[in-house]
Amino acid sequence: MKNYLAEIFNEASNKLAYLKNIKITFDIPKNESQGDLSSNAALLLSKQLKKPPRKIAEEILSSLVFDKDIIKNTEIAGPGFINFYFTPIFIAQIIKPILTNPRSYGKSVKYNGKKANVEFVSANPTGPLTVGHGRNAVVGDTIANLLGWVGYEVDREYYFNNAGRQMRILGDSVRIRYLELLGNKVDFPEDYYQGEYITEIARKLVSDYGDKLLEEKPEGIFKDKAEQEIFVEIKNTLQRLGIIHKIFFNENSLYEEGKIVEVLDEFKNKDLSYEKDSAVWLKLAQLGNDQDKVIVKATGEPTYRLPDIAYHITKFKRNYDLMIDIFGSDHNATYPDVLAGLKALSYDDSKVKVLIHQFVTITENGEIVKMSTRKANYVTLDQLVDDVGADVVRYFFNMRNISSHMNFDLTLARKQSEENPVFYLQYAHARISSIIKMVENEKLQPSTDNLNLLTANEEQLLLKKLHQFENEVLLSAEFYETHRICVYLEELAAAFHKFYTFCRIIGSEKNLAEARLALAVSTRAVIKNGLMILGVSAPEKM
RNA sequence: GCGCCCGUAGCUCAAUCGGAUAGAGCAACAGCCUUCUAAGCUGUAGGUUAGUGGUUCGAUUCCACUCGGGCGUACCA
């Protein structure tokens, strides 16, 4: 529909040159009585042409040449909107491409040939994933799906660090639990990892090695065993949510391959760094940020900025056209430094999109559950999947704009999981599947021969909804917003449920029944594709 | 103090890069199953979009300030 309007406007712009001055867009009015699509061109032009918008709208309208079999009616309304009403038969044509290629309907080719990297989760292996990581994981994976749908070749990547202070504390936490298990009285420091999983790992070491590790250092087998066990857990949890990373990038490899030193030298050569108080500072103030920051501590150890910059350089060298980083809001102060550093080294930082999601507040029985990996009082992502299922977890994290703080009421999620919107969508899918099974006995085939019969209000609303899918996928991908798909699917499912209630298939006259069946089959395809993007299953039965 | 994010119906959230009468779900109330799945549908009720000013044909959206909440503001990641 939009494409057709864009065409006729384009032709009209040969006659009305001023149409070229603005970006012509078509909106779907909120109110049905304002047409199927609407243009605000006249309002936008009013100022520069110094004419009343309704007058301009008349001019535009009279120079538009269109097919009466496609556009049924036009009007000028309100302050100067031009509203277009399409013919029912044109609207019904949408199901032809859906039926021809159900699995790929909604995909587009705009970004064909481009490579994208989505880096997400990236939790260091110090403990199980929490609910907070869940949002990051689900949104990251879904954005990767979306990019794939609009043509990108996408790599999913997980960046981690298995060295440094936190990992040493992890190893030492295991070591102390190990000593405890063997009957030694040792103080367990408060800032160590308190979780039960630490003891579990220590227990495995006891059963594998007995008391042979009493003299081992924390950085040795204790740390290694912990890392290995925890990573197995993390990957397992992600897999339950259908998430598989292609690349696991170890920060340590940057040191081993000399990348850190390379970047450090480059900064020095470009006179972007200096020494002060026996630390190395990056001239970030000069690069437009607030203040200079340390990149190598007085101890000789780099701060996170240096490896992060080196890491992104490897992504540039791997020829990605788009690099997405997904972080929680606790990282919101760190990325400007990294981007500035990249820019200073002549990398195109506009290819890096940093998506910051706000925190998830968990409430249980009306009380806020505080999350901390160190302390034991967190809710793991695994437990959440146990409670409400992978589909609900994925849908729930996807259904909200990442810039919004979100509240996760565990009590509610458990108790009311049957009333979750995800079931509403899945139910629509299951209902259609059921019909399709049932019509086998009725000798009905989906058919596009009599689409002109689909004139009922419920049919037309459903058809128009189907029209929007491809554009909705494109917008969601370009805005990196997964919740749009959820909103769309809920509207689509609602349109279907209404159609289902008022427009029967079995029992209707054959031509009508087969046209409706074609509509139902198309709807199922779109729901399924939408759910696939979200990573939610589409059951045949419920 | 400063930076980023948020404040919309009782609750959880939408609102098409500034559009027309701000919409859903849950909760509440009133209806609809001898016919394709009632996990559904129909209807009612619910709002000074935190507040004040500004920008303009038009503001939930943009700007300024105020109030309230979250996250940061490291030679931790």
Side-chain angles (χ1 to χ4, degrees):
Chain A
M1 294 199 287
K2 279 188 188 182
N3 293 343
Y4 182 73
L5 288 184
E7 255 175 59
I8 62 171
F9 266 73
N10 192 37
E11 279 173 33
S13 69
N14 294 329
K15 282 180 270 177
L16 292 177
Y18 59 66
L19 283 177
K20 289 175 180 161
N21 296 349
I22 53 164
K23 193 177 172 192
I24 309 273
T25 58
F26 304 102
D27 293 332
I28 299 167
K30 287 176 198 160
N31 198 320
E32 260 180 73
S33 67
Q34 293 164 347
D36 297 323
L37 282 175
S38 171
S39 167
N40 64 351
L43 294 160
L44 295 176
L45 287 162
S46 167
K47 193 161 204 176
Q48 52 173 286
L49 299 182
K50 292 176 184 161
K51 275 197 260 187
R54 289 189 72 107
K55 194 110 187 157
I56 301 170
E58 279 172 35
E59 271 183 33
I60 295 173
L61 199 47
S62 65
S63 58
L64 287 176
V65 180
F66 55 83
D67 189 340
K68 279 279 181 195
D69 293 331
I70 295 178
I71 293 176
K72 177 176 64 178
N73 191 21
T74 60
E75 67 182 7
I76 296 168
F81 292 100
I82 308 173
N83 297 337
F84 299 90
Y85 296 81
F86 288 81
T87 60
I89 181 68
F90 178 74
I91 289 169
Q93 300 302 314
I94 183 63
I95 63 182
K96 284 182 177 171
I98 302 177
L99 292 173
T100 311
N101 235 330
R103 285 171 172 237
S104 61
Y105 180 71
K107 287 190 179 168
S108 51
V109 297
K110 186 167 177 184
Y111 297 96
N112 269 9
K114 302 261 184 192
K115 273 180 71 181
N117 178 293
V118 183
E119 183 218 319
F120 62 112
V121 188
S122 295
N124 286 338
T126 57
L129 296 180
T130 64
V131 170
H133 295 120
R135 188 175 201 184
N136 187 304
V138 167
V139 166
D141 190 57
T142 305
I143 284 172
N145 286 343
L146 278 168
L147 294 176
W149 273 68
V150 298
Y152 279 102
E153 181 192 329
V154 187
D155 288 336
R156 291 166 171 76
E157 186 153 322
Y158 189 123
Y159 179 64
F160 70 99
N161 176 14
N162 60 354
R165 195 178 112 86
Q166 294 307 324
M167 292 302 289
R168 205 194 64 79
I169 291 177
L170 176 74
D172 210 25
S173 301
V174 173
R175 189 183 67 90
I176 294 178
R177 291 299 186 210
Y178 173 83
L179 297 179
E180 279 178 4
L181 287 171
L182 292 174
N184 297 293
K185 272 237 176 265
V186 197
D187 277 344
F188 196 88
E190 219 176 90
D191 60 342
Y192 273 32
Y193 293 95
Q194 312 269 343
E196 179 60 24
Y197 65 96
I198 297 291
T199 312
E200 285 301 316
I201 293 164
R203 198 166 285 137
K204 283 187 182 170
L205 287 170
V206 170
S207 83
D208 288 353
Y209 298 93
D211 62 359
K212 289 177 191 154
L213 306 177
L214 286 172
E215 303 301 319
E216 290 290 328
K217 291 184 172 158
E219 299 89 338
I221 188 164
F222 291 110
K223 193 213 80 171
D224 290 347
K225 181 72 176 173
E227 177 188 339
Q228 181 203 332
E229 292 285 329
I230 290 168
F231 246 136
V232 166
E233 275 300 303
I234 287 176
K235 287 180 189 176
N236 182 49
T237 302
L238 290 174
Q239 198 166 7
R240 292 182 74 192
L241 289 166
I243 298 168
I244 296 172
H245 289 84
K246 180 182 175 189
I247 301 158
F248 280 80
F249 196 106
N250 189 341
E251 179 185 327
N252 210 33
S253 67
L254 296 168
Y255 292 87
E256 288 165 354
E257 292 166 21
K259 305 289 186 197
I260 303 290
V261 179
E262 269 177 40
V263 175
L264 198 55
D265 287 346
E266 261 194 89
F267 281 133
K268 198 178 288 175
N269 293 341
K270 297 203 168 184
D271 194 29
L272 291 166
S273 62
Y274 59 91
E275 278 196 39
K276 192 180 87 179
D277 305 331
S278 56
V280 182
W281 295 67
L282 188 59
K283 295 182 177 173
L284 283 163
Q286 185 183 310
L287 299 172
N289 286 15
D290 283 350
Q291 51 183 319
D292 295 351
K293 296 273 176 65
V294 170
I295 51 174
V296 180
K297 299 184 232 172
T299 60
E301 247 182 313
T303 62
Y304 69 90
R305 293 179 192 92
L306 195 49
D308 267 15
I309 291 168
Y311 169 51
H312 280 84
I313 289 173
T314 74
K315 290 190 198 174
F316 275 99
K317 295 209 166 141
R318 285 182 273 155
N319 290 318
Y320 290 111
D321 301 290
L322 175 66
M323 288 151 271
I324 293 188
D325 292 355
I326 299 185
F327 293 138
S329 64
D330 54 337
H331 283 67
N332 83 71
T334 70
Y335 72 90
D337 296 344
V338 175
L339 290 182
L342 287 168
K343 198 174 180 185
L345 297 178
S346 317
Y347 292 96
D348 179 3
D349 63 331
S350 71
K351 289 183 175 179
V352 180
K353 298 282 176 214
V354 179
L355 306 181
I356 303 284
H357 67 265
Q358 296 302 310
F359 270 31
V360 180
T361 307
I362 309 170
T363 56
E364 186 171 18
N365 300 320
E367 279 182 36
I368 293 172
V369 180
K370 293 218 171 175
M371 282 193 299
S372 155
T373 308
R374 294 250 194 110
K375 295 186 181 154
N377 64 339
Y378 58 86
V379 178
T380 67
L381 187 50
D382 228 37
Q383 288 167 342
L384 190 66
V385 176
D386 289 342
D387 282 342
V388 298
D391 282 343
V392 172
V393 171
R394 284 206 61 129
Y395 195 83
F396 202 96
F397 283 129
N398 274 325
M399 72 188 284
R400 267 127 202 189
N401 192 324
I402 60 166
S403 67
S404 291
H405 299 270
M406 98 178 235
N407 182 36
F408 202 126
D409 186 335
L410 279 176
T411 315
L412 207 69
R414 287 172 188 139
K415 192 171 64 185
Q416 301 198 335
S417 62
E418 291 197 348
E419 289 165 14
N420 192 295
V422 68
F423 291 96
Y424 184 77
L425 306 183
Q426 292 181 321
Y427 184 55
H429 187 270
R431 263 186 159 176
I432 301 172
S433 300
S434 169
I435 294 171
I436 290 168
K437 245 180 213 146
M438 205 148 293
V439 295
E440 285 169 8
N441 305 326
E442 309 278 331
K443 295 179 185 167
L444 292 174
Q445 291 292 327
S447 163
T448 55
D449 293 342
N450 294 288
L451 294 178
N452 58 310
L453 298 175
L454 299 178
T455 54
N457 196 35
E458 289 78 16
E459 291 161 342
Q460 285 286 306
L461 289 175
L462 180 54
L463 286 160
K464 286 176 200 169
K465 218 67 210 170
L466 294 174
H467 266 275
Q468 293 170 229
F469 184 57
E470 183 175 327
N471 194 238
E472 210 55 58
V473 173
L474 185 63
L475 285 175
S476 302
E478 290 183 332
F479 287 124
Y480 315 112
E481 290 180 342
T482 64
H483 74 281
R484 286 167 171 275
I485 297 294
C486 298
V487 172
Y488 169 78
L489 286 177
E490 284 173 42
E491 288 169 358
L492 177 64
F496 171 75
H497 285 305
K498 282 171 198 175
F499 162 77
Y500 177 91
T501 305
F502 294 104
C503 305
R504 319 229 16 124
I505 293 173
I506 294 169
S508 291
E509 181 273 322
K510 187 164 188 282
N511 286 340
L512 179 58
E514 295 196 330
R516 284 179 172 170
L517 185 55
L519 176 53
V521 170
S522 305
T523 305
R524 183 173 73 156
V526 175
I527 292 175
K528 186 171 187 172
N529 289 354
L531 289 174
M532 194 178 292
I533 290 170
L534 297 174
V536 174
S537 68
E540 306 269 315
K541 247 191 265 193
M542 285 176 76

